[in-house]
Amino acid sequence: MNSPHDRTPEPSPVEWRADGAPHSRLFDDVYFSAAGGLAEARAVFLAGCGLPRAWIGRDRFTIGELGFGSGLNIVALLDLWRRYRPAGARLQIFSVEAHLMSAVDARRALAPWTEVGEAVEGLLARWPRAARGFQRIDLPEFAGQLDLAVMDVADALAAWDGAADAWFLDGFSPARNPAMWSERVLRAVAAHSAPGARAATFSVAGPVRRGLAAAGFSVAKAPGFGKKRERLEARLPAATRFTPPRRPRVAIVGAGIAGAALARAFRALGVGAQVFDPDGAGAGASGNPAALVMPRLDAGGGAVAALFAQALGRAGELYADIPGAILAGGALQLETGAKDQSRFDRIAASDLFAPGALVRLDATKASRALGEPTKRGGLAMTDAQVVRPGPILAAWLGGDVPQTERVAGLIQEDGVWRLLGPEDRELARAEIICLAAGLACRDLEPSAPLAAVRGQVSWLSSPERPTAAIGGGYLVPTGDGMLFGATHDRDDEVAGEREADTVRNLALLADLRPQLAARLAGAPALARASLRAVTPDFLPLAGALPRPGLFILSGLGSRGFCAAPLLAEHVAARALGAASPLPLDLAAIVDPQRFEIRRRRRSGDSRNFAQKPVTP
Ligand SMILES: Cc1cc2nc3c(=O)[nH]c(=O)nc-3n(C[C@H](O)[C@H](O)[C@H](O)COP(=O)(O)OP(=O)(O)OC[C@H]3O[C@@H](n4cnc5c(N)ncnc54)[C@H](O)[C@@H]3O)c2cc1C
Ligand SMILES: C[S@@+](CC[C@H](N)C(=O)[O-])C[C@H]1O[C@@H](n2cnc3c(N)ncnc32)[C@H](O)[C@@H]1O
């Protein structure tokens, strides 16, 4: 029996008609034409947007869709892209869905389209979670990536920072689903379009034509599909000047989880990077034998909670693909004070996590999960993971093995950065630099408001493999025993392990698992100390710095293994002018310039000094 506070799944938005086609319970309309959904997707949306011709000469193409539904349009798109994509080109897809189908319903809806079975299976294998927010889904066998916004269309468009080259406008019929076709939505579509973008839809209703025209599209009717006489093709004016695509040189300073995640994220966008770290991969805070991947648990469903919920989902998927990376799945968060009872109730009920991802436990169930009696209740986090940093860093740095050089200075000349080593020796030149050197980022960018929180972990060999648990301190299984701790010492930057800190960690273990600690008494523990980098608001720095071409991913505090993979994709997207997987409100809370923006706002200076994304 679940707790009354756990989130329950929404009822299915689909009902099934006698002809086997999915029908919307909420809008009383069909998801696709009974005359043949796949053929309709091809005729209305693919041909309507001039695909595949429009792909010629492109190394990245962005499709936007309103109404993800069963994913059939996306399946048809992936199938076409696989056959016609220009060599080396990447497909970015942004789609919006407020009432997500279950994977079971989607499988049933897509079952008839066996001729595109590979694309159907590719999408179903990564069917999105029923959690509010943005989710990034990799489609590597299609050289593609899908960002799905699970929310109302107006919120989704307001939160997206991308610009589509083509739009599939596929709400239910305007009479039944006016919210998908409002003037405000169509204006937002135009605002999120690249010059010359195309839009296609099955509807020729007056408000749709007028709305698109008012938003700046030239609109034309074309012969319709099935029983529909006509459909619409729309186009924005083309850019007056064509900017040829270019592949910038990218340098990453630091080879911890931030640097490795950045190298992966740039590679996923088709751009290689040079990585620099004098001490090799994992020399800093990212080099412990195990790391717990869990979100910051903020009650209230605000931006911080949304950021970490999205980050956890992304990290979990990416780590699961790396051989040898996962040590254990799931973790138990114990209450640490009276306030945690109602706080955990609210967090468990949050729609930012899929039903079943967070399960509220009373003390009896928490004791069972923990492996020994506790009087505290808890929260079972089924999507948390314990990972081995080593294989993750190795997999993501890949061919971009760090060059063992310390970056001592950065100089920009004529739009190109020069990376300087000791004695001003030039190490490299790059158009884009990403600082991912933990606390040391402040040596290269003095405006970065970073402070140190020294931490020491302890670990020991043991045949016991405890459940990952947090409550005061934390305890996680390793390959051959367990790791626990950790100390938190603000503004202490002294290197090296301390015996006194091992004693503190043993006390944390005894508080969390007294029986286990008693069994292990006297066992020799190993230790490792390093520095966390934190910001004044304890949120990361991820994005552009005021100097053009300079970006940062740091300030990851105690949650680097949760936050870095998603934030690295955000930084890489901003650097390359691609669509970010982060909604704008979440991008704002990690904006490296937020402290300066707030300071200026307080002092009445409203100048917009944010760095614009680099156009590829
Ligand atoms: C004791 C402890 C336990 C932790 N446990 C967890 C956990 O369980 N889960 C979790 O998510 N997080 C945990 N954290 C936090 C996590 O380790 C950090 O958030 C994360 O490692 C930060 O990664 P990073 O890549 O930003 O920095 P780092 O891993 O510190 O990497 C920075 C890299 O930059 C390099 N560098 C520095 N200066 C230069 C330069 N001038 N030129 C080139 N390279 C340079 C360094 O050599 C280093 O390799 C823990 C932290 C500590 C201290
Ligand atoms: C015609 S169906 C889309 C069919 C889909 N393209 C496919 O290939 O199966 C329209 C979709 O729009 C979604 N929708 C309707 N109103 C919405 C809104 N206000 N915000 C976001 N999505 C909405 C519906 O839930 C439905 O899945």
Side-chain angles (χ1 to χ4, degrees):
M1 254 283 281
N2 284 349
S3 141
H5 303 290
D6 295 344
R7 197 183 155 216
T8 45
E10 305 284 329
S12 167
V14 185
E15 60 189 13
W16 295 93
R17 287 286 154 101
D19 64 359
H23 193 93
S24 167
R25 265 190 329 100
L26 305 171
F27 298 92
D28 188 20
D29 199 356
V30 288
Y31 277 79
F32 36 72
S33 154
L38 178 60
E40 179 189 32
R42 287 173 168 161
V44 174
F45 298 106
L46 303 183
C49 285
L51 307 180
R53 271 189 78 80
W55 291 334
I56 293 170
R58 300 293 300 267
D59 64 359
R60 181 165 62 230
F61 199 89
T62 305
I63 297 275
E65 180 187 47
L66 303 190
F68 177 68
S70 68
L72 180 58
N73 290 343
I74 302 306
V75 161
L77 169 69
L78 293 174
D79 175 66
L80 192 74
W81 177 253
R82 194 169 45 84
R83 289 181 285 129
Y84 290 97
R85 80 176 172 115
R90 314 261 156 170
L91 181 66
Q92 281 207 295
I93 307 167
F94 172 69
S95 187
V96 178
E97 179 55 63
H99 312 284
L100 192 66
M101 263 189 209
S102 69
V104 173
D105 280 336
R107 178 168 288 286
R108 188 165 165 186
L110 297 173
W113 323 117
T114 47
E115 68 174 282
V116 287
E118 214 177 301
V120 167
E121 290 307 324
L123 189 59
L124 288 174
R126 298 123 173 156
W127 195 253
R129 292 180 305 281
R132 177 167 57 88
F134 279 27
Q135 288 175 47
R136 174 158 281 190
I137 294 169
D138 288 327
L139 299 156
E141 65 274 38
F142 298 95
Q145 215 164 42
L146 164 66
D147 287 322
L148 183 68
V150 181
M151 59 183 70
D152 183 74
V153 61
D155 297 336
L157 288 168
W160 191 48
D161 80 348
D165 298 297
W167 282 98
F168 302 167
L169 305 180
D170 197 17
F172 290 117
S173 74
R176 291 166 200 259
N177 190 190
M180 286 287 260
W181 307 94
S182 70
E183 266 192 51
R184 180 176 162 218
V185 162
L186 296 176
R187 265 202 309 273
V189 164
H192 286 91
S193 293
R198 317 204 21 174
T201 174
F202 62 87
S203 174
V204 290
V208 175
R209 283 184 284 126
R210 286 192 293 277
L212 284 169
F217 284 92
S218 55
V219 183
K221 288 181 182 171
F225 178 81
K227 278 193 244 148
K228 290 211 164 71
R229 241 174 1 106
E230 295 172 314
R231 60 183 172 86
L232 277 195
E233 291 184 2
R235 204 168 188 153
L236 282 177
T240 44
R241 204 160 45 88
F242 175 63
T243 321
R246 64 188 176 94
R247 290 188 192 275
R249 289 166 292 181
V250 176
I252 297 170
V253 185
I257 187 64
L262 281 164
R264 191 208 72 80
F266 276 102
R267 204 178 309 121
L269 290 171
V271 177
Q274 275 186 288
V275 184
F276 296 87
D277 194 315
D279 301 312
S286 307
N288 290 337
L292 179 60
V293 185
M294 65 166 279
R296 218 173 102 172
L297 291 172
D298 283 45
V304 175
L307 175 71
F308 281 94
Q310 187 184 347
L312 178 72
R314 189 62 179 145
E317 275 154 23
L318 291 173
Y319 294 150
D321 277 348
I322 302 173
I326 309 292
L327 283 159
L332 171 66
Q333 168 79 53
L334 290 174
E335 293 163 7
T336 53
K339 278 196 190 144
D340 277 348
Q341 295 188 356
S342 59
R343 205 167 74 84
F344 286 9
D345 287 349
R346 273 179 289 146
I347 293 168
S350 163
D351 65 356
L352 294 170
F353 293 90
L358 297 178
V359 182
R360 198 69 175 93
L361 304 180
D362 60 19
T364 310
K365 286 183 181 153
S367 301
R368 209 173 300 137
L370 187 64
E372 67 178 75
T374 176
K375 293 200 174 71
R376 307 192 233 170
L379 199 55
M381 298 182 285
T382 55
D383 292 343
Q385 291 173 331
V386 182
V387 296
R388 267 195 193 95
I392 295 171
L393 300 184
W396 287 357
L397 289 166
D400 308 322
V401 198
Q403 301 179 24
T404 45
E405 300 273 10
R406 190 172 84 84
V407 178
L410 303 170
I411 299 178
Q412 197 176 32
E413 283 170 5
D414 302 329
V416 177
W417 286 98
R418 291 174 61 217
L419 279 81
L420 304 178
E423 283 113 42
D424 285 350
R425 188 165 41 87
E426 184 174 298
L427 302 175
R429 289 177 177 228
E431 283 74 30
I432 293 172
I433 298 211
C434 293
L435 303 182
L439 190 65
C441 288
R442 62 184 183 188
D443 302 340
L444 295 165
E445 176 57 38
S447 77
L450 293 168
V453 177
R454 187 194 132 97
Q456 184 167 314
V457 279
S458 306
W459 68 95
L460 41 77
S461 303
S462 160
E464 293 196 55
R465 297 284 184 284
T467 303
I470 314 102
Y474 76 122
L475 168 69
V476 296
T478 58
D480 68 347
M482 63 195 79
L483 175 143
F484 53 94
T487 59
H488 283 76
D489 292 310
R490 177 90 202 213
D491 295 329
D492 180 348
E493 297 184 21
V494 181
E497 289 71 37
R498 299 171 184 158
E499 187 50 38
D501 286 1
T502 300
V503 173
R504 287 160 72 194
N505 284 343
L506 287 166
L508 288 170
L509 178 66
D511 177 59
L512 192 62
R513 293 280 316 262
Q515 293 186 354
L516 176 68
R519 283 199 297 281
L520 295 170
L526 298 170
R528 184 171 188 275
S530 54
L531 300 180
R532 304 174 185 88
V534 297
T535 63
D537 61 8
F538 294 98
L539 286 168
L541 304 176
L545 286 162
R547 293 188 278 166
L550 188 59
F551 296 81
I552 188 167
L553 178 55
S554 184
L556 293 167
S558 301
R559 295 279 183 272
F561 280 83
C562 178
L566 175 67
L567 294 182
E569 292 187 311
H570 168 64
V571 172
R574 283 282 163 97
L576 297 176
S580 166
L582 267 193
L584 284 168
D585 57 333
L586 306 193
I589 64 171
V590 294
D591 184 347
Q593 303 183 59
R594 63 189 179 274
F595 303 102
E596 182 61 12
I597 291 171
R598 285 175 205 153
R599 193 188 64 73
R600 290 191 184 214
R601 208 174 279 146
R602 276 195 303 272
S603 69
D605 180 349
S606 61
R607 254 180 314 148
N608 179 5
F609 60 97
Q611 183 184 322
K612 283 249 184 310
V614 178
T615 318

